Amino acid sequence: MINIFIYFFFMSLMFLILFILSMMMYMGDYSIMLEWLMISFNSMNVELMLLMDWVSLLFISFIMMISSMILLYSYMYMMGNKFTKRFIFLIILFVLSMVLMIISPNIISIMFGWDGLGMVSYCLIIFYQNYSSYNSGMVTVLCNRVGDVGLLMLISLLMVSGSWNLMFYSYGSKLMVFMLLIAAVTKSAQIPFSTWLPMAMAAPTPVSALVHSSTLVTAGVYLMIRFNKLLICTYLSKILFFLAVFTMFMSGLMANLEVDLKKIIALSTLSQLGLMMMILSLGLEMIAFYHLLVHAIFKSMLFMCAGVIIHLMMNNQDIRLLGNLKEMIPFVMMCFFISNLALCGAPFMAGFYSKDFIMELIYSINLNIYILVFIMISLMFTVSYSIRLFYYVYFSNLKFYSYMNLREDSLVNISMMILSLLSIIIGSLLNWLFFFDYYLIFLSFDVKMLTLVMCLMGCAGMMIFSVKFLYNNLNLSYYLSSMWFMNYLYMLIYAPFNLMGVNIYIVDNTWIEFKGGDFLYYMLKHLNKNLMFKVYMNVGVYTYLLLVIYLMF
């Protein structure tokens, strides 16, 4: 287990080095590109390219810092587990796949990191090896394969253009951008591919903290940040805008009705991803990147707090059984409160600087009034489910065993202490260090205070709406909490493929098994040895003749 501490110190050191390097690159306005020509055929060059600029290095530094905290947290969380070593190696492989994807401007090298993320995420989701984990892992991998196919088709389309270096394209065809969009939408779980994200909660909580803060689900957003100029050249940016707004709305509504602690936090991630995609589709990629970094800090801490609660409650995740935990685990609850406030966008917390900025940009853009109403209601939902979760964990009575042995772990508290400090200051810190050239937006006082008013309305009105109205309408609440029946839509889509798989398996076990390779082997084995020799000789002669003819022409 001592390996965890080695990895922790190495990743912490990498965070400091990369953060300072990214600041230097930002101030000096320069970047480094490495190019390695692997294969050249016809006019196509298969290259492995690495681009290190301030954006990629800053993102990698945040991933290193969050990963180091999660490894320290895993020391306590996975203690006593039989396969801890496998778990640690999978997490490190996961981080390396994400790093490879981040520093790749070339679609081939992006594919290596992208597929690595998909493969390792499947291994991590099925880590506990039970029926629920296998189901969740299969849904995740099937949804993400759609995006992988989009990237593969984009690779084949770019062969026509003569280069896979997508970073150097100033304009792309609609089909190219559509393939890129499919890849980003599936990885970042936008509608209609949102089903897999709450199901991925079957993984251990340290994995959830890593996946939902800075790695898997942010890969699609990062892809769109890198290739945003291609997106805004086409009308597909409008389609992404609508998908993102409805994802925000749907996830916020569902989180107000969910009772699983980890799923509520997962749906809050989905809501924030919708916010990032929405501002990306308007062509403001650096603002989306700003919110991505800020969100990664407080979301990882929120998952850590949830993990401690679940661990101490004997793996219970139902928030209706929790309550009054501030008396028993005060430090964890303090961190939970800080990260919840940052998620809501409470004034002068980390989330406020990016979230309020995005909302003010939305107000200053000429938008459809109905879409604006949807965005504002989604903002209210964010505050509503955060306050609801806060109420259940803090103020209601503990409806569990009469005797509980609750304690806090010092290692976990160290990692939470660092993240809680960053959850307060990281918004203003990044604004001062990197984003000082985005000036403040001047709006009238009424519009400026609109976001704060909507947050306060979310505290009061939506709680009454979700508790009084929806809990008394079971059919409606079931419809809203099942992602608008998207789960069942997936059952309909994948049913033919599953049946086809069953039929192929039957054929493989019967006809191919007994009439295929084994049958031929049996026949040849019992034939005359002279006949066998003649067969081999004839095959050898014919192969030699074909080779000679090919070389002649």
Coordinates of all heavy atoms in Angstrom, one line a residue, residues 325-398:
L325 N -26.1 14.6 10.6 CA -24.7 14.1 10.5 C -23.7 15.1 11.0 O -22.5 14.8 11.3 CB -24.3 13.6 9.1 CG -25.1 12.4 8.6 CD1 -24.7 12.1 7.2 CD2 -24.8 11.2 9.5
K326 N -24.1 16.4 11.1 CA -23.2 17.5 11.6 C -22.7 17.2 13.0 O -21.7 17.7 13.4 CB -23.9 18.8 11.4 CG -25.1 19.0 12.3 CD -25.7 20.3 12.1 CE -26.9 20.6 13.1 NZ -28.0 19.6 12.9
E327 N -23.5 16.5 13.8 CA -23.1 16.2 15.2 C -22.0 15.1 15.2 O -21.2 15.0 16.2 CB -24.3 15.7 16.0 CG -25.5 16.6 16.0 CD -25.3 17.8 16.8 OE1 -24.4 17.8 17.6 OE2 -25.9 18.9 16.5
M328 N -22.0 14.2 14.2 CA -21.1 13.1 14.2 C -19.8 13.2 13.4 O -18.8 12.8 13.8 CB -21.9 11.8 13.7 CG -23.2 11.6 14.5 SD -24.4 10.7 13.5 CE -25.8 11.0 14.5
I329 N -19.9 13.8 12.2 CA -18.8 14.0 11.4 C -18.7 15.5 10.9 O -19.0 15.8 9.8 CB -18.8 13.0 10.1 CG1 -20.2 12.9 9.5 CG2 -18.2 11.7 10.5 CD1 -20.2 12.1 8.2
P330 N -18.4 16.4 11.9 CA -18.5 17.8 11.6 C -17.6 18.3 10.5 O -18.0 19.1 9.7 CB -18.1 18.4 13.0 CG -17.4 17.4 13.7 CD -17.9 16.1 13.2
F331 N -16.4 17.8 10.4 CA -15.4 18.4 9.4 C -15.9 18.0 8.0 O -15.9 18.8 7.1 CB -14.0 17.9 9.6 CG -13.0 18.4 8.7 CD1 -12.6 19.7 8.8 CD2 -12.6 17.7 7.6 CE1 -11.7 20.3 7.9 CE2 -11.7 18.2 6.7 CZ -11.2 19.5 6.8
V332 N -16.3 16.7 7.8 CA -16.8 16.2 6.5 C -18.1 17.0 6.1 O -18.2 17.4 5.0 CB -17.1 14.7 6.6 CG1 -17.8 14.3 5.3 CG2 -15.9 13.9 6.8
M333 N -18.9 17.3 7.1 CA -20.1 18.1 6.8 C -19.8 19.5 6.4 O -20.5 20.1 5.6 CB -21.1 18.0 8.0 CG -21.8 16.7 8.1 SD -22.9 16.3 6.8 CE -22.0 15.2 5.8
M334 N -18.8 20.1 7.1 CA -18.4 21.4 6.7 C -17.9 21.5 5.3 O -18.3 22.4 4.5 CB -17.3 21.9 7.7 CG -16.9 23.3 7.5 SD -15.4 23.7 8.5 CE -14.1 23.0 7.5
C335 N -17.1 20.5 4.9 CA -16.6 20.4 3.5 C -17.8 20.2 2.5 O -17.8 20.8 1.4 CB -15.6 19.3 3.3 SG -14.1 19.6 4.2
F336 N -18.7 19.4 2.9 CA -19.9 19.1 2.1 C -20.7 20.4 1.9 O -21.1 20.7 0.8 CB -20.8 18.1 2.8 CG -21.9 17.5 2.0 CD1 -21.7 16.5 1.1 CD2 -23.2 18.0 2.2 CE1 -22.7 16.0 0.4 CE2 -24.2 17.5 1.4 CZ -24.0 16.5 0.5
F337 N -20.8 21.2 2.9 CA -21.5 22.5 2.9 C -20.8 23.5 1.9 O -21.4 24.1 1.1 CB -21.6 23.1 4.3 CG -22.4 24.3 4.3 CD1 -23.7 24.4 3.7 CD2 -21.9 25.4 5.1 CE1 -24.4 25.6 3.8 CE2 -22.7 26.6 5.1 CZ -23.9 26.7 4.5
I338 N -19.5 23.5 2.1 CA -18.7 24.4 1.2 C -18.8 24.1 -0.3 O -19.0 24.9 -1.1 CB -17.2 24.4 1.6 CG1 -17.0 25.1 3.0 CG2 -16.3 25.1 0.6 CD1 -15.7 24.9 3.6
S339 N -18.7 22.8 -0.6 CA -18.8 22.3 -2.0 C -20.2 22.5 -2.5 O -20.4 22.8 -3.7 CB -18.3 20.9 -2.1 OG -19.0 20.1 -1.2
N340 N -21.2 22.3 -1.6 CA -22.6 22.6 -2.1 C -22.8 24.0 -2.4 O -23.5 24.4 -3.4 CB -23.5 22.1 -0.9 CG -24.5 21.1 -1.4 OD1 -24.8 21.0 -2.6 ND2 -25.0 20.3 -0.5
L341 N -22.3 24.9 -1.6 CA -22.4 26.4 -1.8 C -21.7 26.8 -3.1 O -22.2 27.6 -3.9 CB -21.8 27.2 -0.7 CG -22.7 27.3 0.6 CD1 -21.9 28.1 1.6 CD2 -24.0 27.9 0.3
A342 N -20.5 26.2 -3.4 CA -19.8 26.4 -4.6 C -20.6 26.0 -5.8 O -20.6 26.6 -6.9 CB -18.5 25.8 -4.6
L343 N -21.3 24.8 -5.7 CA -22.1 24.3 -6.8 C -23.3 25.2 -7.1 O -23.7 25.4 -8.2 CB -22.6 22.9 -6.4 CG -23.6 22.2 -7.3 CD1 -23.0 21.9 -8.7 CD2 -24.1 20.9 -6.7
C344 N -23.9 25.7 -6.0 CA -25.1 26.6 -6.2 C -24.7 27.9 -6.8 O -25.5 28.6 -7.4 CB -25.7 26.9 -4.8 SG -26.5 25.5 -4.1
G345 N -23.4 28.3 -6.7 CA -22.9 29.6 -7.2 C -23.2 30.7 -6.2 O -23.6 31.8 -6.5
A346 N -23.0 30.4 -4.9 CA -23.2 31.3 -3.8 C -22.2 32.4 -4.0 O -21.0 32.2 -4.3 CB -23.1 30.7 -2.4
P347 N -22.5 33.7 -3.7 CA -21.6 34.8 -3.9 C -20.3 34.6 -3.3 O -20.2 34.2 -2.1 CB -22.4 36.0 -3.3 CG -23.8 35.6 -3.5 CD -23.9 34.1 -3.3
F348 N -19.2 34.8 -4.1 CA -17.8 34.8 -3.7 C -17.3 33.4 -3.3 O -16.2 33.3 -2.8 CB -17.5 35.8 -2.6 CG -18.1 37.2 -2.9 CD1 -19.2 37.7 -2.1 CD2 -17.7 37.9 -3.9 CE1 -19.8 38.9 -2.4 CE2 -18.2 39.1 -4.3 CZ -19.3 39.6 -3.5
M349 N -18.0 32.4 -3.6 CA -17.5 31.0 -3.6 C -16.9 30.8 -5.0 O -17.1 31.6 -5.9 CB -18.5 30.0 -3.3 CG -19.1 30.2 -1.9 SD -18.0 29.9 -0.6 CE -17.8 28.1 -0.6
A350 N -16.2 29.6 -5.2 CA -15.5 29.3 -6.5 C -16.5 29.3 -7.6 O -16.2 29.9 -8.7 CB -14.8 28.0 -6.4
G351 N -17.6 28.6 -7.5 CA -18.6 28.5 -8.6 C -19.2 29.8 -9.0 O -19.6 29.9 -10.1
F352 N -19.3 30.7 -8.1 CA -19.9 32.0 -8.4 C -19.2 32.8 -9.5 O -19.8 33.3 -10.4 CB -19.9 32.9 -7.1 CG -20.3 34.3 -7.3 CD1 -21.6 34.7 -7.5 CD2 -19.3 35.3 -7.4 CE1 -22.0 36.0 -7.7 CE2 -19.7 36.6 -7.6 CZ -21.0 37.0 -7.7
Y353 N -17.9 32.7 -9.5 CA -17.1 33.5 -10.5 C -17.3 33.0 -11.9 O -17.4 33.8 -12.9 CB -15.6 33.5 -10.1 CG -15.3 34.3 -8.9 CD1 -15.3 33.7 -7.7 CD2 -15.0 35.6 -9.0 CE1 -15.0 34.5 -6.5 CE2 -14.7 36.4 -7.9 CZ -14.7 35.8 -6.7 OH -14.4 36.6 -5.6
S354 N -17.4 31.7 -12.1 CA -17.6 31.2 -13.5 C -19.1 31.1 -13.8 O -19.5 31.5 -14.9 CB -17.0 29.8 -13.6 OG -17.5 28.9 -12.6
K355 N -19.9 30.7 -12.9 CA -21.3 30.4 -13.2 C -22.1 31.8 -13.4 O -22.9 31.9 -14.4 CB -22.0 29.7 -12.0 CG -23.2 28.9 -12.4 CD -23.6 28.0 -11.3 CE -24.8 27.2 -11.6 NZ -25.3 26.4 -10.6
D356 N -21.8 32.7 -12.5 CA -22.5 34.0 -12.6 C -22.0 34.7 -13.9 O -22.8 35.4 -14.6 CB -22.1 34.9 -11.4 CG -23.2 35.9 -11.1 OD1 -24.2 35.6 -10.7 OD2 -22.9 37.1 -11.4
F357 N -20.8 34.5 -14.3 CA -20.2 35.1 -15.5 C -20.9 34.6 -16.7 O -21.3 35.3 -17.6 CB -18.7 34.8 -15.5 CG -17.9 35.6 -16.5 CD1 -18.3 36.9 -16.9 CD2 -16.8 35.1 -17.1 CE1 -17.6 37.6 -17.8 CE2 -16.1 35.8 -18.1 CZ -16.5 37.1 -18.4
I358 N -21.1 33.2 -16.7 CA -21.8 32.6 -17.8 C -23.2 33.1 -17.9 O -23.7 33.4 -19.0 CB -21.8 31.1 -17.7 CG1 -20.4 30.5 -17.9 CG2 -22.8 30.4 -18.6 CD1 -20.2 29.1 -17.6
M359 N -23.9 33.2 -16.8 CA -25.3 33.7 -16.8 C -25.4 35.2 -17.3 O -26.3 35.5 -18.1 CB -26.0 33.6 -15.4 CG -26.2 32.2 -15.0 SD -27.0 31.1 -16.2 CE -28.6 31.9 -16.2
E360 N -24.4 36.0 -16.9 CA -24.4 37.4 -17.4 C -24.2 37.5 -18.9 O -24.7 38.3 -19.6 CB -23.4 38.2 -16.6 CG -23.8 38.5 -15.2 CD -22.8 39.3 -14.4 OE1 -21.8 39.7 -15.0 OE2 -23.0 39.5 -13.2
L361 N -23.3 36.6 -19.4 CA -23.1 36.5 -20.8 C -24.4 36.1 -21.6 O -24.7 36.6 -22.7 CB -22.0 35.5 -21.2 CG -20.5 36.0 -20.9 CD1 -19.6 34.8 -20.9 CD2 -20.1 37.0 -22.0
I362 N -25.1 35.2 -21.0 CA -26.4 34.7 -21.6 C -27.4 35.9 -21.6 O -28.1 36.0 -22.6 CB -27.0 33.5 -20.8 CG1 -26.1 32.3 -20.9 CG2 -28.4 33.2 -21.2 CD1 -26.0 31.7 -22.3
Y363 N -27.4 36.7 -20.6 CA -28.4 37.8 -20.5 C -28.0 38.9 -21.6 O -28.9 39.5 -22.1 CB -28.4 38.5 -19.2 CG -28.8 37.6 -18.0 CD1 -28.2 37.8 -16.7 CD2 -29.7 36.6 -18.2 CE1 -28.6 37.0 -15.7 CE2 -30.1 35.8 -17.1 CZ -29.5 36.0 -15.9 OH -29.8 35.2 -14.8
S364 N -26.7 39.0 -21.9 CA -26.3 40.0 -22.8 C -26.3 39.6 -24.3 O -26.0 40.4 -25.2 CB -24.9 40.5 -22.5 OG -24.0 39.4 -22.5
I365 N -26.7 38.3 -24.5 CA -26.8 37.8 -25.9 C -28.3 37.8 -26.3 O -29.2 37.5 -25.5 CB -26.2 36.4 -26.0 CG1 -24.7 36.4 -25.8 CG2 -26.6 35.7 -27.3 CD1 -24.1 35.1 -25.6
N366 N -28.5 38.1 -27.5 CA -29.9 38.2 -28.0 C -30.5 36.7 -28.2 O -30.2 36.1 -29.2 CB -30.0 38.9 -29.4 CG -31.4 39.2 -29.8 OD1 -32.3 39.2 -29.0 ND2 -31.6 39.6 -31.0
L367 N -31.2 36.3 -27.2 CA -31.7 34.9 -27.1 C -33.2 34.8 -27.2 O -33.9 35.8 -26.8 CB -31.2 34.2 -25.8 CG -29.9 33.4 -25.8 CD1 -29.7 32.8 -24.5 CD2 -29.8 32.4 -26.9
N368 N -33.7 33.7 -27.6 CA -35.1 33.4 -27.6 C -35.6 33.4 -26.1 O -35.0 32.8 -25.2 CB -35.4 32.0 -28.2 CG -36.8 31.7 -28.3 OD1 -37.6 31.9 -27.4 ND2 -37.2 31.1 -29.5
I369 N -36.7 34.1 -25.8 CA -37.2 34.2 -24.5 C -37.6 32.9 -23.8 O -37.3 32.7 -22.6 CB -38.4 35.2 -24.4 CG1 -38.8 35.5 -23.0 CG2 -39.6 34.7 -25.2 CD1 -37.8 36.3 -22.2
Y370 N -38.1 31.9 -24.6 CA -38.5 30.6 -24.1 C -37.2 29.8 -23.6 O -37.2 29.2 -22.6 CB -39.2 29.8 -25.1 CG -40.6 30.5 -25.5 CD1 -40.7 31.0 -26.7 CD2 -41.6 30.6 -24.5 CE1 -41.9 31.6 -27.1 CE2 -42.8 31.2 -24.9 CZ -43.0 31.7 -26.2 OH -44.1 32.3 -26.5
I371 N -36.2 29.9 -24.4 CA -34.9 29.2 -24.1 C -34.3 29.9 -22.8 O -33.8 29.2 -21.9 CB -33.9 29.3 -25.3 CG1 -34.4 28.4 -26.4 CG2 -32.5 28.9 -24.8 CD1 -34.3 26.9 -26.1
L372 N -34.4 31.2 -22.7 CA -33.9 31.9 -21.6 C -34.6 31.5 -20.3 O -34.0 31.3 -19.2 CB -34.0 33.4 -21.8 CG -33.3 34.3 -20.8 CD1 -31.8 34.1 -20.8 CD2 -33.6 35.8 -21.0
V373 N -35.9 31.3 -20.4 CA -36.7 30.8 -19.3 C -36.3 29.4 -18.9 O -36.1 29.1 -17.7 CB -38.3 30.8 -19.6 CG1 -39.1 30.0 -18.6 CG2 -38.8 32.2 -19.7
F374 N -36.0 28.5 -19.8 CA -35.5 27.2 -19.6 C -34.2 27.2 -18.8 O -34.0 26.5 -17.9 CB -35.4 26.4 -20.9 CG -36.5 25.5 -21.2 CD1 -37.4 25.9 -22.2 CD2 -36.7 24.3 -20.5 CE1 -38.5 25.0 -22.5 CE2 -37.8 23.5 -20.8 CZ -38.7 23.9 -21.8
I375 N -33.3 28.1 -19.3 CA -32.0 28.2 -18.6 C -32.1 28.7 -17.2 O -31.5 28.1 -16.3 CB -31.1 29.2 -19.5 CG1 -30.8 28.6 -20.8 CG2 -29.8 29.5 -18.7 CD1 -30.2 29.6 -21.8
M376 N -33.0 29.6 -17.0 CA -33.2 30.2 -15.6 C -33.8 29.2 -14.7 O -33.5 29.1 -13.5 CB -34.0 31.5 -15.7 CG -33.1 32.6 -16.3 SD -34.1 34.0 -16.8 CE -34.5 34.8 -15.2
I377 N -34.8 28.4 -15.2 CA -35.4 27.4 -14.4 C -34.4 26.3 -14.0 O -34.4 25.8 -12.9 CB -36.6 26.8 -15.1 CG1 -37.8 27.8 -15.2 CG2 -37.1 25.5 -14.4 CD1 -39.0 27.4 -16.0
S378 N -33.5 26.0 -15.0 CA -32.4 25.0 -14.7 C -31.5 25.5 -13.6 O -31.0 24.7 -12.8 CB -31.6 24.8 -16.0 OG -32.4 24.4 -17.1
L379 N -31.2 26.8 -13.6 CA -30.4 27.4 -12.6 C -31.1 27.3 -11.2 O -30.5 27.0 -10.2 CB -30.2 28.9 -12.9 CG -29.3 29.7 -12.0 CD1 -27.9 29.3 -12.1 CD2 -29.5 31.2 -12.3
M380 N -32.4 27.5 -11.2 CA -33.2 27.3 -10.0 C -33.2 25.9 -9.5 O -33.1 25.6 -8.3 CB -34.7 27.8 -10.2 CG -34.8 29.2 -10.4 SD -36.5 29.7 -11.0 CE -37.5 29.2 -9.7
F381 N -33.3 25.0 -10.4 CA -33.2 23.5 -10.0 C -31.9 23.2 -9.4 O -31.9 22.4 -8.4 CB -33.4 22.6 -11.3 CG -34.8 22.5 -11.7 CD1 -35.1 22.3 -13.1 CD2 -35.9 22.5 -10.8 CE1 -36.4 22.2 -13.5 CE2 -37.2 22.4 -11.2 CZ -37.5 22.2 -12.6
T382 N -30.8 23.8 -9.9 CA -29.5 23.5 -9.3 C -29.5 23.8 -7.8 O -29.0 23.1 -6.9 CB -28.4 24.3 -10.0 OG1 -28.4 24.1 -11.4 CG2 -27.0 24.0 -9.5
V383 N -30.0 25.0 -7.5 CA -30.1 25.4 -6.1 C -31.0 24.6 -5.3 O -30.8 24.2 -4.1 CB -30.5 26.9 -6.0 CG1 -30.5 27.4 -4.5 CG2 -29.5 27.8 -6.8
S384 N -32.2 24.2 -5.9 CA -33.2 23.5 -5.3 C -32.7 22.1 -4.8 O -32.9 21.7 -3.6 CB -34.4 23.3 -6.3 OG -35.3 22.3 -5.8
Y385 N -32.1 21.3 -5.7 CA -31.6 20.0 -5.3 C -30.5 20.0 -4.3 O -30.3 19.1 -3.5 CB -31.4 19.0 -6.5 CG -30.3 19.4 -7.4 CD1 -28.9 19.4 -7.1 CD2 -30.6 19.7 -8.8 CE1 -27.9 19.7 -8.0 CE2 -29.6 20.0 -9.7 CZ -28.3 20.0 -9.3 OH -27.3 20.4 -10.1
S386 N -29.7 21.1 -4.4 CA -28.6 21.3 -3.4 C -29.1 21.5 -2.0 O -28.6 20.9 -1.1 CB -27.6 22.4 -3.9 OG -27.1 22.2 -5.1
I387 N -30.1 22.4 -1.9 CA -30.7 22.7 -0.6 C -31.4 21.5 -0.1 O -31.4 21.2 1.1 CB -31.7 23.9 -0.8 CG1 -30.9 25.1 -1.2 CG2 -32.4 24.1 0.5 CD1 -29.9 25.7 -0.2
R388 N -32.1 20.7 -1.0 CA -32.8 19.5 -0.6 C -31.9 18.5 0.0 O -32.1 17.9 1.0 CB -33.6 18.9 -1.8 CG -34.2 17.6 -1.6 CD -35.0 17.2 -2.8 NE -35.5 15.9 -2.7 CZ -35.0 14.8 -3.3 NH1 -33.8 15.0 -4.0 NH2 -35.5 13.6 -3.2
L389 N -30.7 18.3 -0.7 CA -29.7 17.3 -0.3 C -29.1 17.8 1.1 O -28.9 17.0 2.0 CB -28.6 17.2 -1.3 CG -27.5 16.3 -1.1 CD1 -28.0 14.9 -0.9 CD2 -26.4 16.4 -2.2
F390 N -28.9 19.1 1.2 CA -28.4 19.7 2.4 C -29.3 19.5 3.6 O -28.9 19.1 4.7 CB -28.1 21.2 2.1 CG -27.5 21.9 3.3 CD1 -26.2 21.6 3.7 CD2 -28.2 22.9 3.9 CE1 -25.7 22.3 4.7 CE2 -27.7 23.6 5.0 CZ -26.4 23.3 5.4
Y391 N -30.6 19.6 3.3 CA -31.6 19.4 4.4 C -31.6 18.0 4.9 O -31.6 17.8 6.1 CB -33.0 19.8 3.9 CG -34.1 19.4 4.8 CD1 -34.4 20.1 6.0 CD2 -34.9 18.3 4.4 CE1 -35.4 19.6 6.8 CE2 -35.9 17.8 5.3 CZ -36.1 18.5 6.5 OH -37.1 18.1 7.3
Y392 N -31.6 17.1 4.0 CA -31.7 15.6 4.3 C -30.5 15.2 5.1 O -30.6 14.4 6.1 CB -31.8 14.8 3.1 CG -33.3 14.6 2.6 CD1 -33.7 15.1 1.5 CD2 -34.1 13.8 3.4 CE1 -35.0 14.9 1.0 CE2 -35.4 13.6 3.0 CZ -35.9 14.2 1.8 OH -37.2 14.0 1.4
V393 N -29.3 15.7 4.8 CA -28.1 15.2 5.4 C -27.9 16.0 6.8 O -27.4 15.4 7.7 CB -26.9 15.5 4.5 CG1 -25.6 15.2 5.2 CG2 -27.0 14.6 3.2
Y394 N -28.3 17.2 6.8 CA -28.0 18.0 8.0 C -29.1 18.0 9.1 O -28.8 17.8 10.3 CB -27.8 19.5 7.6 CG -26.4 19.9 7.4 CD1 -25.6 19.4 6.4 CD2 -25.8 20.8 8.3 CE1 -24.3 19.8 6.2 CE2 -24.5 21.2 8.2 CZ -23.7 20.7 7.1 OH -22.4 21.1 7.0
F395 N -30.3 18.3 8.7 CA -31.3 18.7 9.6 C -32.3 17.6 10.0 O -32.9 17.7 11.1 CB -32.1 19.9 9.1 CG -31.1 21.1 9.0 CD1 -30.9 21.7 7.8 CD2 -30.5 21.6 10.1 CE1 -30.0 22.8 7.6 CE2 -29.6 22.7 10.0 CZ -29.4 23.3 8.7
S396 N -32.6 16.7 9.1 CA -33.6 15.6 9.5 C -32.9 14.7 10.5 O -31.7 14.6 10.6 CB -34.1 14.9 8.3 OG -33.0 14.3 7.6
N397 N -33.7 13.9 11.2 CA -33.2 12.9 12.2 C -32.6 11.7 11.5 O -33.1 11.3 10.4 CB -34.3 12.5 13.1 CG -34.8 13.7 13.9 OD1 -34.0 14.5 14.4 ND2 -36.1 13.8 14.1
L398 N -31.6 11.1 12.1 CA -31.0 9.9 11.6 C -31.9 8.7 11.7 O -32.1 8.3 12.9 CB -29.6 9.7 12.3 CG -28.8 8.5 11.7 CD1 -28.3 8.8 10.3 CD2 -27.5 8.3 12.6

